[in-house]
Amino acid sequence: MDDDLDQALSAVGPRLRTLRQQRETTLATLSVATGISVSTLSRLESGTRRPTLELLLPLAKAHGVTLDELVDAPPTGDPRVHLRPVTYHGMTLLPLTRRAGGIQAYKIVIPATSSRTEVEPKTHEGYEWLYVLNGRLRVVLGEHDLVLSPGEAAEFDTRVPHWFGALDAEPVEFLSLFGRQGQRAHLRAKPRTGRPDEDQISRAR
């Protein structure tokens, strides 16, 4: 039993590093999110610091995974992706990929909008591709205010301030592909005028 425990704990370090790389998060950013020092995080990932429940709980929360996932990584060679929903800023994310680096795929569900919903654009490195499955997605992108309906897609540089939300009193579901490289979307947009213009974005070919 002790050997099994030691083996499981020894795998935590590489798993933590993989999760952080998947989310393209720095040790400094993770330190702020968890309250764990950068040096401790580095030693956990390298295996020179034995993980404890006190350390694993905030890390699991920051990465949006369960404790089981931290101590028992999916079997090597298993092609199945075990969908575990993550709640982030009111959105539900279903990771569709589990490899570190490269393009990351997600299914995202945003609940119905409300009159108190605030538009707070964010920026980060990379490119993102969106494809709407159900509902209507409002996309604020720089000075543009766009609407994507089912079957429409957009792709953009995420260094441009952006924000997503459900347009109507219905949830919206869409697929998201995110990576550091990608082609730009072909958007036909004009500056925001107060209401989203549903004809401002071209359908994906």
Side-chain angles (χ1 to χ4, degrees):
M1 181 66 71
D2 289 341
D3 290 341
D4 291 341
L5 178 60
D6 289 339
Q7 183 176 1
L9 291 178
S10 67
V12 170
R15 179 64 174 154
L16 287 172
R17 181 180 290 110
T18 296
L19 287 169
R20 181 172 61 80
Q21 291 173 343
Q22 284 179 332
R23 289 152 178 76
E24 298 180 336
T25 302
T26 65
L27 287 172
T29 300
L30 188 58
S31 176
V32 172
T34 61
I36 302 172
S37 70
V38 170
S39 61
T40 298
L41 291 172
S42 179
R43 285 186 289 142
L44 281 172
E45 289 189 359
S46 66
T48 58
R49 172 68 182 266
R50 185 180 177 89
T52 64
L53 187 61
E54 183 181 7
L55 294 172
L56 292 180
L57 282 174
L59 284 168
K61 181 178 180 180
H63 288 309
V65 299
T66 65
L67 285 175
D68 287 344
E69 288 178 286
L70 287 184
V71 299
D72 185 19
T76 302
D78 186 350
R80 294 171 298 176
V81 177
H82 302 278
L83 303 180
R84 296 180 184 273
V86 176
T87 301
Y88 180 75
H89 291 303
M91 300 184 294
T92 299
L93 287 77
L94 284 168
L96 303 178
T97 52
R98 67 186 184 202
R99 66 185 182 279
I103 300 296
Q104 301 296 311
Y106 302 89
K107 178 182 177 181
I108 301 176
V109 180
I110 301 179
T113 188
S114 71
S115 59
R116 295 176 302 203
T117 300
E118 294 184 8
V119 176
E120 299 180 347
K122 306 292 184 182
T123 62
H124 50 85
E125 291 293 326
Y127 284 87
E128 188 157 5
W129 180 88
L130 307 175
Y131 179 83
V132 178
L133 300 170
N134 294 294
R136 294 195 297 172
L137 179 68
R138 180 184 176 190
V139 180
V140 175
L141 180 62
E143 294 300 316
H144 306 298
D145 201 332
L146 313 171
V147 172
L148 275 70
S149 297
E152 291 186 316
E155 194 170 24
F156 56 90
D157 187 332
T158 55
R159 291 173 296 183
V160 177
H162 57 282
W163 174 91
F164 310 138
L167 180 68
D168 307 309
E170 297 289 339
V172 59
E173 301 180 20
F174 61 99
L175 298 177
S176 169
L177 297 179
F178 173 76
R180 289 190 178 276
Q181 297 180 354
Q183 298 177 339
R184 293 178 183 273
H186 299 286
L187 300 178
R188 295 184 289 106
K190 59 186 179 182
R192 198 182 341 158
T193 58
R195 284 192 60 187
D197 186 339
E198 297 177 26
D199 296 323
Q200 288 177 0
I201 189 163
S202 59
R203 285 188 177 274
R205 297 178 180 177

